[in-house]
Amino acid sequence: MSRLPSGPPLLFDMPLAPDFSIETRLMARGAGPVCGLDEAGRGPLAGPVVAAAVILDPRRIPPGLDDSKRLKAADRERLCAEILRTASAVSVASVAADGIDTVNILRASLEAMRRAATLLCVSPGHALVDGRDVPPGLPCDAQALVKGDQRSQSIAAASIVAKVTRDRMMTRCAAVHTAYGFDLHMGYATARHRSAIVEAGAVMRIHRMSFAPLKSGAVEADVEEGLLVAQAG
């Protein structure tokens, strides 16, 4: 599939909030339906990277869509429910920690987005992807948009669904692995999380062993001194 070039948006081209103008232009050229693709969880020490694909219904776009990072948790939850209720199609896919360790986080993120796009119940005609890279193997033409979740409502919707889904996964994980506080930091490298890794060990298949400080050997050194590595149930 063809890939359209992209680049950093000019300051005066950035809308105050994402809109549907890019999607409208594509559909006017017969390139619809347009799906937005985004992921959540590239930076944490633990948990999966989660991607979502969303095809919005142009007649029923929830008001208030924005980059998930610029929204409060309660607003993300509310908007996620609205997206699921009104969108033409929504899908979610993930790559777990051991998959991230195997291929690296960039490739894992792109693979999660590819999976999400292929799982849509409505075949997309074009994909708008947040970031600089187009996932290989997409079922349609695509273009990457830097800061796409602040420019395209379709990408913003995908960012919200991905973020809410991943947060729920980490909250469930916290109920099983109670020593780590996953529901508080969602796997990011907070002081509490780093301390818990030193005290309780890394959780295999939950922690990303290719990420520092796990990769550095700090945790492995603790294990050698008698600290067991927790096993995922």
Side-chain angles (χ1 to χ4, degrees):
M1 298 294 177
S2 65
R3 302 182 183 184
L4 301 183
S6 182
L10 298 175
L11 180 61
F12 51 79
D13 287 337
M14 285 292 292
L16 295 176
D19 58 32
F20 205 66
S21 61
I22 300 173
E23 293 90 332
T24 299
R25 290 195 296 271
L26 287 166
M27 291 188 295
R29 302 204 308 259
V34 178
C35 79
L37 289 173
D38 202 358
E39 50 73 26
R42 286 185 63 164
L45 297 179
V49 60
V50 177
V54 177
I55 298 177
L56 292 172
D57 181 344
R59 301 162 298 179
R60 299 199 300 168
I61 298 176
L65 293 178
D66 203 345
D67 173 1
S68 63
K69 298 183 292 296
R70 302 201 298 194
L71 297 170
K72 295 180 180 179
D75 292 330
R76 289 197 297 265
E77 288 281 351
R78 174 182 56 81
L79 284 166
C80 183
E82 281 294 298
I83 293 163
L84 295 177
R85 186 178 66 84
T86 62
S88 298
V90 179
S91 65
V92 177
S94 66
V95 174
D98 52 355
I100 294 169
D101 290 336
T102 299
V103 301
N104 75 46
I105 186 58
L106 173 59
R107 290 174 61 188
S109 299
L110 297 176
E111 171 60 14
M113 287 192 280
R114 184 198 68 80
R115 293 177 186 177
T118 60
L119 289 171
L120 286 167
C121 63
V122 176
S123 296
H126 196 91
L128 299 175
V129 186
D130 184 50
R132 297 181 179 275
D133 301 294
V134 172
L138 288 179
C140 60
D141 292 343
Q143 67 189 98
L145 295 176
V146 176
K147 295 188 180 296
D149 46 11
Q150 298 178 29
R151 302 166 66 187
S152 157
Q153 287 179 323
S154 297
I155 297 178
S159 78
I160 291 167
V161 173
K163 172 63 174 169
V164 169
T165 301
R166 188 181 187 280
D167 284 358
R168 291 175 181 175
M169 294 169 74
M170 297 307 296
T171 299
R172 292 285 297 273
C173 188
V176 177
H177 302 287
T178 57
Y180 302 89
F182 288 130
D183 56 326
L184 302 177
H185 50 67
M186 303 305 167
Y188 283 88
T190 63
R192 172 173 178 168
H193 188 192
R194 287 173 176 265
S195 176
I197 293 172
V198 171
E199 294 174 5
V203 184
M204 304 307 295
R205 302 191 302 277
I206 299 296
H207 281 102
R208 303 174 182 180
M209 303 306 291
S210 59
F211 278 41
L214 298 164
K215 182 179 180 179
S216 70
V219 174
E220 286 81 350
D222 291 325
V223 174
E224 290 175 2
E225 292 174 6
L227 183 64
L228 295 179
V229 177
Q231 295 293 325

